[in-house]
Amino acid sequence: QKEVEQNSGPLSVPEGAIASLNCTYSDRVSQSFFWYRQYSGKSPELIMSIYSNGDKEDGRFTAQLNKASQYVSLLIRDSQPSDSATYLCAVNNGGGFKTIFGAGTRLFVKA
Amino acid sequence: EAGVVQSPRYKIIEKKQPVAFWCNPISGHNTLYWYRQNLGQGPELLIRYENEEAVDDSQLPKDRFSAERLKGVDSTLKIQPAELGDSAVYLCASSLGRGENIQYFGAGTRLSVL
C-alpha cells in the first residue's frame, strides 16, 4: 500500500461543475495535509492546507479532512478551464517533518 | 519577495557525465528540500536540510548523488556519473521550518540523460 494514494484520473468535468479530488493516507499520526496544483511543465504551487478535521474553504476551493478515515479531499466549485492541471495531495507526519506526495490526479475542465 | 530560485532550467548530458543543480531558497527559510519528479508521478524526496544539516537523506542514492548546503542558505545537488534513469525534473523547495512545513517550490531543472 502506498503511503499517499490518489486516483490517477484523468478526471474530466464540464465547466461550472464541481470537481472532487480524493486522497487517502496510511500513517495515522499524520498531522498536516496539503493540496498542490501543478500545471504541465511547471512546479507545484500550494492551494490549500488543512490541519484539523472538517472543512476549510478558500474561494472556490474546499478541503475536507477526516482523520478517522484517513481521508482528505479537495472540492473545486464552478470549475474553470484554467483549473485543468494535476492536483497533488501531500501529507506530513508532524514530528519527523516528513512530507509524502501522492502521484497526483489530472483534472480536465471542458469549456 | 523572491521565490525559490533554481538553475539551470534545462540540462542535457550524456550518460556517465557529471551534472550539478543549484538552489537558492526563500530568504529566512531554514528547511530546504531536494525532490525528484518523474513523469506522471509526485515529487519524491531526495534530501532535506535543516539549516546546514542534512536530516533526511535516506532516499538519496549516495553512490552517485551528493548534496551540500553551505552556510545554511544555497544548496547544490550533484550527480556523478549520471545514468539514463536519472532523467527527471529535480525540484528544490523551502519552508520556514520550526514546525511550519508549507513548502514553496522552485521552477525545477529538467534533466535529460542521453
Side-chain angles (χ1 to χ4, degrees), chain A residues 2 32 34 36 38 41-46 49 51 88 92 94 96-99 101-104, chain B residues 9 33 35 37 40-43 45 48 50 56 58 91 99-107 110:
Chain A
K2 293 182 180 179
S32 308
F34 308 93
Y36 285 83
Q38 187 172 27
K42 303 295 184 182
S43 58
E45 57 178 333
L46 182 73
S49 59
Y51 304 96
L88 298 165
N92 183 279
F97 305 114
K98 187 178 181 79
T99 300
F101 284 82
Chain B
R9 287 297 313 280
Y33 313 77
Y35 289 93
Q37 186 174 26
Q41 299 297 315
L45 182 70
R48 174 170 63 90
E50 295 289 343
D56 185 354
S58 57
L91 293 165
E100 173 52 67
N101 48 31
I102 292 177
Q103 297 179 33
Y104 299 87
F105 285 83
R110 183 176 297 276

Side-chain angles (χ1 to χ4, degrees), chain B residues 6 21-23 32-35 45-47 75 77 91-92:
Chain B
Q6 288 187 250
F21 314 123
W22 175 81
C23 174
L32 184 146
Y33 313 77
W34 281 104
Y35 289 93
L45 182 70
L46 292 173
I47 190 168
S75 178
L77 178 69
L91 293 165
C92 178

